[in-house]
Amino acid sequence: MENFMENALFEACRAQSNGEVPVGCVFVYELNIIARGGNLVNATKNATRHAEFVCIDQAYAFCEKNNLDYKDFFEKVSVIVTVEPCIMCAAALYNLNVKEIIYGCKNDRFGGTTVLDVSKIMKANITTKGGVRADEAMELLKNFYKGGNPSAPSPKRKVQST
């Protein structure tokens, strides 16, 4: 898994260099990377363009090109992602019934295991393992947020009523 996480970290760095939150992902099928990507939320102005969804789209294209039944296909796909999938991405991956999800650091704000155990809600029986090169993944996030997300909306201050 180290080699695959290395590829996911590369995608996270590429996303960061494009002004995106540095999350990278690869999908592994029969020990080959068949999909890779990083966040494209800021570039597309589409909040669903997380790294996992970029890879899901590529995986569907791979199935179509190779005449594979996507239901059987996804059961053999390992998802390697630098940050714990958010609730939205976790739900999508569990719905696809992927083989396993391996991630780097936890996602304490939006994590599909840490914040809300999506697998329990969806009654999914998918192996999920975190902590693979977590320090590197966390360092990318810290460095990104030191400068702030340039595409994030301006914070709104609460007005206190008297």
Side-chain angles (χ1 to χ4, degrees):
M1 285 300 142
E2 285 290 320
N3 181 47
F4 296 129
M5 184 58 81
E6 181 71 29
N7 281 271
L9 286 163
F10 174 82
E11 294 300 328
C13 289
R14 187 159 53 177
Q16 183 173 16
S17 70
N18 291 324
E20 300 284 350
V21 175
V23 178
C25 184
V26 296
F27 279 17
V28 178
Y29 173 73
E30 295 182 346
L31 298 177
N32 294 302
I33 295 174
I34 56 90
R36 60 175 56 243
N39 279 359
L40 293 174
V41 172
N42 296 336
T44 62
K45 305 287 189 242
N46 181 338
T48 68
R49 301 316 304 159
H50 290 195
E52 297 92 334
F53 274 84
V54 170
C55 288
I56 288 169
D57 288 347
Q58 291 174 24
Y60 274 117
F62 180 86
C63 287
E64 189 173 304
K65 179 182 175 188
N66 294 288
N67 200 27
L68 298 171
D69 176 11
Y70 74 90
K71 290 182 181 181
D72 293 333
F73 169 80
F74 279 108
E75 291 178 355
K76 298 171 186 159
V77 169
S78 296
V79 175
I80 317 300
V81 61
T82 58
V83 179
E84 173 190 359
C86 71
I87 294 166
M88 172 183 72
C89 292
L93 295 170
Y94 292 139
N95 192 51
L96 289 169
N97 199 29
V98 297
K99 177 182 172 184
E100 62 185 344
I101 301 168
I102 310 295
Y103 65 86
C105 64
K106 287 187 176 188
N107 183 343
D108 292 335
R109 297 184 74 199
F110 307 109
T113 302
T114 302
V115 173
L116 178 70
D117 192 348
V118 177
S119 67
K120 197 175 279 188
I121 293 168
M122 295 184 71
K123 297 179 174 93
N125 190 18
I126 295 169
T127 301
T128 302
K129 177 186 175 202
V132 178
R133 297 181 70 174
D135 292 340
E136 293 168 76
M138 182 57 74
E139 197 61 34
L140 284 172
L141 291 172
K142 285 179 182 178
N143 287 335
F144 178 80
Y145 283 113
K146 279 180 187 174
N149 182 345
S151 295
S154 299
K156 305 230 187 307
R157 296 185 184 254
K158 290 184 179 180
V159 177
Q160 292 183 353
S161 57
T162 52

Short mmCIF file of all heavy atoms in Angstrom, two decimals, residues 4 7-8 11-12 14 23-29 33-40 48-63 73-74 77-82 89 92-93 96 98:
data_model
loop_
_atom_site.label_atom_id
_atom_site.label_comp_id
_atom_site.label_asym_id
_atom_site.label_seq_id
_atom_site.Cartn_x
_atom_site.Cartn_y
_atom_site.Cartn_z
N PHE A 4 1.13 2.82 -3.40
CA PHE A 4 -0.14 3.42 -3.84
C PHE A 4 -0.40 4.73 -3.09
O PHE A 4 -0.87 5.71 -3.67
CB PHE A 4 -1.29 2.44 -3.67
CG PHE A 4 -1.15 1.21 -4.54
CD1 PHE A 4 -1.27 -0.05 -3.99
CD2 PHE A 4 -0.89 1.33 -5.89
CE1 PHE A 4 -1.14 -1.18 -4.79
CE2 PHE A 4 -0.75 0.20 -6.70
CZ PHE A 4 -0.88 -1.07 -6.14
N ASN A 7 1.48 7.54 -4.60
CA ASN A 7 0.79 8.10 -5.75
C ASN A 7 -0.35 9.03 -5.32
O ASN A 7 -0.55 10.08 -5.93
CB ASN A 7 0.24 6.97 -6.64
CG ASN A 7 1.30 6.37 -7.52
OD1 ASN A 7 1.53 6.82 -8.62
ND2 ASN A 7 1.98 5.35 -7.01
N ALA A 8 -1.06 8.67 -4.29
CA ALA A 8 -2.13 9.53 -3.78
C ALA A 8 -1.55 10.83 -3.23
O ALA A 8 -2.11 11.92 -3.47
CB ALA A 8 -2.94 8.80 -2.70
N GLU A 11 -0.80 13.13 -6.03
CA GLU A 11 -2.02 13.79 -6.52
C GLU A 11 -2.45 14.91 -5.58
O GLU A 11 -2.94 15.95 -6.03
CB GLU A 11 -3.14 12.77 -6.70
CG GLU A 11 -2.89 11.73 -7.78
CD GLU A 11 -2.71 12.34 -9.17
OE1 GLU A 11 -3.32 13.37 -9.47
OE2 GLU A 11 -1.94 11.75 -9.97
N ALA A 12 -2.25 14.71 -4.29
CA ALA A 12 -2.59 15.76 -3.31
C ALA A 12 -1.69 16.98 -3.52
O ALA A 12 -2.16 18.12 -3.48
CB ALA A 12 -2.45 15.23 -1.89
N ARG A 14 -0.24 17.84 -6.28
CA ARG A 14 -0.65 18.46 -7.55
C ARG A 14 -1.91 19.30 -7.34
O ARG A 14 -2.01 20.41 -7.87
CB ARG A 14 -0.88 17.39 -8.62
CG ARG A 14 -1.13 18.01 -9.97
CD ARG A 14 -0.87 17.11 -11.12
NE ARG A 14 -1.56 15.85 -11.06
CZ ARG A 14 -1.49 14.96 -12.03
NH1 ARG A 14 -0.76 15.20 -13.10
NH2 ARG A 14 -2.14 13.83 -11.94
N VAL A 23 -5.94 16.99 -1.27
CA VAL A 23 -6.39 15.61 -1.07
C VAL A 23 -6.17 14.89 -2.39
O VAL A 23 -6.56 15.39 -3.45
CB VAL A 23 -7.88 15.54 -0.67
CG1 VAL A 23 -8.33 14.09 -0.52
CG2 VAL A 23 -8.12 16.30 0.63
N GLY A 24 -5.52 13.73 -2.31
CA GLY A 24 -5.27 12.92 -3.49
C GLY A 24 -5.80 11.52 -3.30
O GLY A 24 -5.91 11.03 -2.17
N CYS A 25 -6.12 10.88 -4.42
CA CYS A 25 -6.75 9.56 -4.35
C CYS A 25 -6.32 8.72 -5.56
O CYS A 25 -6.10 9.26 -6.64
CB CYS A 25 -8.27 9.74 -4.36
SG CYS A 25 -9.23 8.24 -4.19
N VAL A 26 -6.19 7.43 -5.34
CA VAL A 26 -6.02 6.48 -6.44
C VAL A 26 -6.95 5.30 -6.19
O VAL A 26 -7.24 4.95 -5.05
CB VAL A 26 -4.56 5.99 -6.61
CG1 VAL A 26 -3.63 7.14 -6.99
CG2 VAL A 26 -4.05 5.27 -5.38
N PHE A 27 -7.43 4.71 -7.30
CA PHE A 27 -8.21 3.48 -7.24
C PHE A 27 -7.33 2.38 -7.80
O PHE A 27 -6.75 2.52 -8.88
CB PHE A 27 -9.48 3.59 -8.09
CG PHE A 27 -10.63 4.31 -7.45
CD1 PHE A 27 -10.47 5.13 -6.34
CD2 PHE A 27 -11.90 4.18 -7.98
CE1 PHE A 27 -11.55 5.80 -5.78
CE2 PHE A 27 -12.99 4.83 -7.42
CZ PHE A 27 -12.81 5.64 -6.32
N VAL A 28 -7.24 1.27 -7.05
CA VAL A 28 -6.39 0.16 -7.44
C VAL A 28 -7.27 -1.05 -7.76
O VAL A 28 -8.11 -1.45 -6.94
CB VAL A 28 -5.39 -0.18 -6.31
CG1 VAL A 28 -4.54 -1.38 -6.68
CG2 VAL A 28 -4.52 1.04 -5.99
N TYR A 29 -7.06 -1.59 -8.95
CA TYR A 29 -7.80 -2.77 -9.42
C TYR A 29 -6.78 -3.77 -9.95
O TYR A 29 -5.98 -3.44 -10.82
CB TYR A 29 -8.77 -2.34 -10.53
CG TYR A 29 -9.49 -3.46 -11.23
CD1 TYR A 29 -10.50 -4.17 -10.59
CD2 TYR A 29 -9.17 -3.80 -12.53
CE1 TYR A 29 -11.18 -5.19 -11.24
CE2 TYR A 29 -9.84 -4.81 -13.20
CZ TYR A 29 -10.85 -5.51 -12.54
OH TYR A 29 -11.52 -6.53 -13.18
N ILE A 33 -3.12 0.85 -10.78
CA ILE A 33 -3.86 2.09 -10.59
C ILE A 33 -4.67 2.35 -11.86
O ILE A 33 -4.11 2.48 -12.95
CB ILE A 33 -2.91 3.27 -10.30
CG1 ILE A 33 -2.19 3.05 -8.96
CG2 ILE A 33 -3.69 4.59 -10.29
CD1 ILE A 33 -1.13 4.08 -8.65
N ILE A 34 -5.98 2.39 -11.71
CA ILE A 34 -6.85 2.61 -12.88
C ILE A 34 -7.52 3.98 -12.83
O ILE A 34 -8.17 4.37 -13.79
CB ILE A 34 -7.90 1.48 -13.03
CG1 ILE A 34 -8.76 1.32 -11.77
CG2 ILE A 34 -7.20 0.16 -13.35
CD1 ILE A 34 -9.99 2.15 -11.77
N ALA A 35 -7.37 4.68 -11.72
CA ALA A 35 -7.93 6.04 -11.60
C ALA A 35 -7.08 6.81 -10.61
O ALA A 35 -6.60 6.25 -9.63
CB ALA A 35 -9.38 5.98 -11.13
N ARG A 36 -6.90 8.09 -10.89
CA ARG A 36 -6.12 8.94 -9.99
C ARG A 36 -6.64 10.35 -10.10
O ARG A 36 -7.12 10.77 -11.15
CB ARG A 36 -4.64 8.88 -10.31
CG ARG A 36 -4.30 9.33 -11.71
CD ARG A 36 -2.79 9.39 -12.00
NE ARG A 36 -2.09 8.16 -11.77
CZ ARG A 36 -1.12 7.99 -10.86
NH1 ARG A 36 -0.70 9.01 -10.14
NH2 ARG A 36 -0.53 6.84 -10.69
N GLY A 37 -6.56 11.07 -8.98
CA GLY A 37 -7.00 12.46 -9.03
C GLY A 37 -6.86 13.15 -7.71
O GLY A 37 -6.60 12.53 -6.67
N GLY A 38 -7.02 14.45 -7.78
CA GLY A 38 -7.03 15.29 -6.60
C GLY A 38 -8.29 16.15 -6.62
O GLY A 38 -9.06 16.11 -7.58
N ASN A 39 -8.47 16.91 -5.58
CA ASN A 39 -9.64 17.78 -5.52
C ASN A 39 -9.67 18.73 -6.71
O ASN A 39 -8.64 19.25 -7.13
CB ASN A 39 -9.63 18.59 -4.22
CG ASN A 39 -10.15 17.81 -3.04
OD1 ASN A 39 -10.54 16.66 -3.17
ND2 ASN A 39 -10.16 18.44 -1.88
N LEU A 40 -10.86 18.96 -7.23
CA LEU A 40 -11.09 19.92 -8.31
C LEU A 40 -12.23 20.87 -7.97
O LEU A 40 -12.84 21.45 -8.85
CB LEU A 40 -11.42 19.18 -9.62
CG LEU A 40 -10.30 18.35 -10.24
CD1 LEU A 40 -10.82 17.56 -11.43
CD2 LEU A 40 -9.14 19.24 -10.64
N THR A 48 -18.87 18.96 -5.33
CA THR A 48 -18.81 17.49 -5.36
C THR A 48 -17.55 16.97 -6.03
O THR A 48 -17.36 15.76 -6.11
CB THR A 48 -20.03 16.88 -6.08
OG1 THR A 48 -19.95 17.20 -7.48
CG2 THR A 48 -21.32 17.36 -5.48
N ARG A 49 -16.69 17.82 -6.50
CA ARG A 49 -15.50 17.36 -7.23
C ARG A 49 -14.34 17.04 -6.29
O ARG A 49 -13.22 17.48 -6.48
CB ARG A 49 -15.09 18.37 -8.31
CG ARG A 49 -16.16 18.66 -9.34
CD ARG A 49 -16.90 17.46 -9.90
NE ARG A 49 -15.97 16.50 -10.47
CZ ARG A 49 -16.24 15.23 -10.67
NH1 ARG A 49 -17.40 14.73 -10.33
NH2 ARG A 49 -15.35 14.43 -11.19
N HIS A 50 -14.63 16.25 -5.28
CA HIS A 50 -13.60 15.74 -4.38
C HIS A 50 -12.78 14.69 -5.13
O HIS A 50 -13.24 14.11 -6.11
CB HIS A 50 -14.23 15.12 -3.13
CG HIS A 50 -14.85 16.12 -2.22
ND1 HIS A 50 -15.21 15.81 -0.92
CD2 HIS A 50 -15.20 17.43 -2.39
CE1 HIS A 50 -15.74 16.87 -0.35
NE2 HIS A 50 -15.75 17.87 -1.23
N ALA A 51 -11.58 14.43 -4.62
CA ALA A 51 -10.68 13.48 -5.28
C ALA A 51 -11.34 12.13 -5.52
O ALA A 51 -11.15 11.51 -6.57
CB ALA A 51 -9.42 13.32 -4.43
N GLU A 52 -12.13 11.66 -4.56
CA GLU A 52 -12.78 10.36 -4.70
C GLU A 52 -13.77 10.36 -5.87
O GLU A 52 -13.85 9.38 -6.61
CB GLU A 52 -13.51 9.98 -3.41
CG GLU A 52 -12.60 9.80 -2.21
CD GLU A 52 -12.40 11.06 -1.37
OE1 GLU A 52 -12.54 12.18 -1.92
OE2 GLU A 52 -12.09 10.92 -0.18
N PHE A 53 -14.51 11.45 -6.04
CA PHE A 53 -15.48 11.52 -7.13
C PHE A 53 -14.78 11.63 -8.49
O PHE A 53 -15.27 11.10 -9.49
CB PHE A 53 -16.46 12.68 -6.93
CG PHE A 53 -17.64 12.30 -6.08
CD1 PHE A 53 -17.55 12.33 -4.70
CD2 PHE A 53 -18.83 11.89 -6.64
CE1 PHE A 53 -18.62 11.97 -3.90
CE2 PHE A 53 -19.92 11.51 -5.86
CZ PHE A 53 -19.81 11.56 -4.48
N VAL A 54 -13.64 12.30 -8.52
CA VAL A 54 -12.84 12.36 -9.75
C VAL A 54 -12.46 10.94 -10.14
O VAL A 54 -12.57 10.55 -11.31
CB VAL A 54 -11.59 13.26 -9.55
CG1 VAL A 54 -10.63 13.13 -10.71
CG2 VAL A 54 -12.01 14.71 -9.34
N CYS A 55 -12.04 10.14 -9.16
CA CYS A 55 -11.66 8.75 -9.43
C CYS A 55 -12.86 7.88 -9.78
O CYS A 55 -12.75 6.99 -10.64
CB CYS A 55 -10.91 8.17 -8.23
SG CYS A 55 -9.24 8.83 -8.05
N ILE A 56 -13.98 8.12 -9.15
CA ILE A 56 -15.19 7.34 -9.47
C ILE A 56 -15.54 7.54 -10.94
O ILE A 56 -15.83 6.57 -11.66
CB ILE A 56 -16.36 7.74 -8.55
CG1 ILE A 56 -16.14 7.21 -7.14
CG2 ILE A 56 -17.69 7.21 -9.12
CD1 ILE A 56 -17.11 7.77 -6.09
N ASP A 57 -15.49 8.77 -11.42
CA ASP A 57 -15.79 9.03 -12.83
C ASP A 57 -14.82 8.28 -13.75
O ASP A 57 -15.23 7.69 -14.75
CB ASP A 57 -15.73 10.52 -13.13
CG ASP A 57 -16.90 11.30 -12.55
OD1 ASP A 57 -17.89 10.66 -12.12
OD2 ASP A 57 -16.82 12.54 -12.52
N GLN A 58 -13.53 8.30 -13.39
CA GLN A 58 -12.54 7.59 -14.20
C GLN A 58 -12.77 6.08 -14.15
O GLN A 58 -12.58 5.38 -15.16
CB GLN A 58 -11.13 7.91 -13.71
CG GLN A 58 -10.70 9.33 -13.98
CD GLN A 58 -9.34 9.63 -13.34
OE1 GLN A 58 -8.53 8.73 -13.10
NE2 GLN A 58 -9.10 10.89 -13.08
N ALA A 59 -13.18 5.58 -13.01
CA ALA A 59 -13.43 4.14 -12.87
C ALA A 59 -14.62 3.71 -13.73
O ALA A 59 -14.57 2.64 -14.37
CB ALA A 59 -13.68 3.78 -11.41
N TYR A 60 -15.67 4.52 -13.77
CA TYR A 60 -16.79 4.21 -14.65
C TYR A 60 -16.34 4.20 -16.11
O TYR A 60 -16.73 3.32 -16.89
CB TYR A 60 -17.94 5.21 -14.46
CG TYR A 60 -18.89 4.85 -13.35
CD1 TYR A 60 -19.03 5.68 -12.25
CD2 TYR A 60 -19.65 3.69 -13.40
CE1 TYR A 60 -19.91 5.36 -11.21
CE2 TYR A 60 -20.53 3.36 -12.37
CZ TYR A 60 -20.65 4.20 -11.28
OH TYR A 60 -21.52 3.87 -10.27
N ALA A 61 -15.51 5.14 -16.50
CA ALA A 61 -14.98 5.18 -17.86
C ALA A 61 -14.13 3.94 -18.15
O ALA A 61 -14.20 3.37 -19.25
CB ALA A 61 -14.17 6.46 -18.08
N PHE A 62 -13.35 3.51 -17.16
CA PHE A 62 -12.53 2.30 -17.30
C PHE A 62 -13.43 1.09 -17.54
O PHE A 62 -13.14 0.25 -18.40
CB PHE A 62 -11.67 2.11 -16.05
CG PHE A 62 -10.79 0.89 -16.07
CD1 PHE A 62 -9.53 0.95 -16.65
CD2 PHE A 62 -11.20 -0.30 -15.48
CE1 PHE A 62 -8.70 -0.17 -16.66
CE2 PHE A 62 -10.39 -1.41 -15.50
CZ PHE A 62 -9.13 -1.35 -16.09
N CYS A 63 -14.51 0.99 -16.78
CA CYS A 63 -15.46 -0.13 -16.96
C CYS A 63 -16.06 -0.11 -18.36
O CYS A 63 -16.14 -1.15 -19.01
CB CYS A 63 -16.58 -0.05 -15.92
SG CYS A 63 -16.09 -0.48 -14.26
N PHE A 73 -16.95 -4.96 -10.65
CA PHE A 73 -15.69 -4.24 -10.70
C PHE A 73 -15.37 -3.54 -9.39
O PHE A 73 -14.30 -3.71 -8.82
CB PHE A 73 -15.72 -3.24 -11.86
CG PHE A 73 -14.60 -2.26 -11.87
CD1 PHE A 73 -13.36 -2.61 -12.36
CD2 PHE A 73 -14.78 -0.98 -11.39
CE1 PHE A 73 -12.31 -1.71 -12.37
CE2 PHE A 73 -13.75 -0.06 -11.40
CZ PHE A 73 -12.51 -0.43 -11.89
N PHE A 74 -16.30 -2.73 -8.88
CA PHE A 74 -16.03 -1.95 -7.68
C PHE A 74 -15.76 -2.82 -6.45
O PHE A 74 -15.04 -2.41 -5.56
CB PHE A 74 -17.15 -0.94 -7.40
CG PHE A 74 -17.03 0.30 -8.21
CD1 PHE A 74 -17.90 0.55 -9.27
CD2 PHE A 74 -16.04 1.25 -7.95
CE1 PHE A 74 -17.78 1.71 -10.03
CE2 PHE A 74 -15.91 2.40 -8.70
CZ PHE A 74 -16.78 2.63 -9.75
N VAL A 77 -12.06 -3.09 -6.07
CA VAL A 77 -11.30 -1.84 -6.09
C VAL A 77 -10.90 -1.43 -4.67
O VAL A 77 -11.74 -1.36 -3.77
CB VAL A 77 -12.11 -0.71 -6.74
CG1 VAL A 77 -11.45 0.65 -6.54
CG2 VAL A 77 -12.29 -0.98 -8.23
N SER A 78 -9.60 -1.16 -4.50
CA SER A 78 -9.09 -0.58 -3.26
C SER A 78 -8.98 0.92 -3.48
O SER A 78 -8.42 1.37 -4.48
CB SER A 78 -7.72 -1.15 -2.92
OG SER A 78 -7.80 -2.53 -2.66
N VAL A 79 -9.51 1.68 -2.55
CA VAL A 79 -9.46 3.14 -2.60
C VAL A 79 -8.36 3.59 -1.66
O VAL A 79 -8.39 3.28 -0.47
CB VAL A 79 -10.81 3.75 -2.20
CG1 VAL A 79 -10.72 5.27 -2.15
CG2 VAL A 79 -11.91 3.30 -3.15
N ILE A 80 -7.38 4.31 -2.19
CA ILE A 80 -6.29 4.84 -1.39
C ILE A 80 -6.40 6.35 -1.46
O ILE A 80 -6.32 6.94 -2.55
CB ILE A 80 -4.90 4.41 -1.94
CG1 ILE A 80 -4.88 2.94 -2.37
CG2 ILE A 80 -3.81 4.76 -0.95
CD1 ILE A 80 -5.18 1.93 -1.31
N VAL A 81 -6.60 6.99 -0.32
CA VAL A 81 -6.83 8.44 -0.29
C VAL A 81 -6.06 9.05 0.87
O VAL A 81 -5.92 8.43 1.92
CB VAL A 81 -8.35 8.74 -0.24
CG1 VAL A 81 -9.00 8.17 1.00
CG2 VAL A 81 -8.65 10.20 -0.41
N THR A 82 -5.54 10.25 0.66
CA THR A 82 -4.66 10.85 1.66
C THR A 82 -5.38 11.28 2.92
O THR A 82 -4.78 11.32 3.99
CB THR A 82 -3.91 12.06 1.06
OG1 THR A 82 -4.86 13.02 0.58
CG2 THR A 82 -2.99 11.62 -0.06
N CYS A 89 -18.33 11.47 0.40
CA CYS A 89 -17.51 10.51 -0.34
C CYS A 89 -17.59 9.11 0.26
O CYS A 89 -17.65 8.12 -0.47
CB CYS A 89 -16.06 10.99 -0.38
SG CYS A 89 -15.84 12.48 -1.39
N ALA A 92 -20.75 7.50 -0.92
CA ALA A 92 -20.64 7.08 -2.32
C ALA A 92 -19.81 5.80 -2.43
O ALA A 92 -20.20 4.85 -3.14
CB ALA A 92 -20.02 8.19 -3.16
N LEU A 93 -18.69 5.74 -1.73
CA LEU A 93 -17.82 4.56 -1.80
C LEU A 93 -18.49 3.33 -1.21
O LEU A 93 -18.38 2.23 -1.75
CB LEU A 93 -16.48 4.84 -1.11
CG LEU A 93 -15.62 5.92 -1.79
CD1 LEU A 93 -14.45 6.30 -0.89
CD2 LEU A 93 -15.15 5.47 -3.16
N LEU A 96 -21.06 2.07 -3.63
CA LEU A 96 -20.44 1.33 -4.73
C LEU A 96 -19.92 -0.03 -4.29
O LEU A 96 -19.58 -0.87 -5.12
CB LEU A 96 -19.29 2.15 -5.32
CG LEU A 96 -19.70 3.38 -6.11
CD1 LEU A 96 -18.48 4.24 -6.42
CD2 LEU A 96 -20.44 2.99 -7.38
N VAL A 98 -17.05 -0.77 -2.62
CA VAL A 98 -15.63 -0.98 -2.91
C VAL A 98 -15.06 -2.03 -1.96
O VAL A 98 -15.63 -2.31 -0.90
CB VAL A 98 -14.82 0.34 -2.81
CG1 VAL A 98 -15.28 1.34 -3.86
CG2 VAL A 98 -14.85 0.93 -1.42
#
